Amino acid sequence: MFGSSETCCRNWYGTESPTCLLRGRTYYFRYSIPLEARRVCPLLPIEVKRSLRTDSLSEALALIVSGK
């Protein structure tokens, strides 16, 4: 599903845990919404993915922890 330009820096694809993903030179935040929550609210997406707009792992993790 993902090309070789993507590497996972925390956890791995398919988990429900928050994930920090490097794609090209930009880090992304990804969270898979649990199936139980999607059953309660079918309008929820399977996953949420947002660009952190940085190429620095430490900055990406700081953005995730701060919730910005």
Side-chain angles (χ1 to χ4, degrees):
M1 179 173 192
F2 297 106
S4 61
S5 65
E6 297 182 354
T7 57
C8 192
C9 61
R10 287 183 66 189
N11 301 320
W12 52 88
Y13 179 73
T15 66
E16 294 176 352
S17 302
T19 305
C20 177
L21 178 78
L22 177 62
R23 183 174 183 185
R25 293 182 57 167
T26 304
Y27 282 96
Y28 288 81
F29 170 78
R30 181 170 55 203
Y31 179 72
S32 296
I33 297 176
L35 182 58
E36 296 80 19
R38 288 186 284 136
R39 285 184 180 146
V40 172
C41 185
L43 297 176
L44 290 173
I46 293 172
E47 70 177 16
V48 176
K49 185 170 150 181
R50 298 287 182 261
S51 173
L52 297 174
R53 299 182 185 141
T54 183
D55 60 355
S56 165
L57 175 59
S58 59
E59 187 175 338
L61 295 176
L63 287 169
I64 291 171
V65 170
S66 70
K68 293 185 178 181

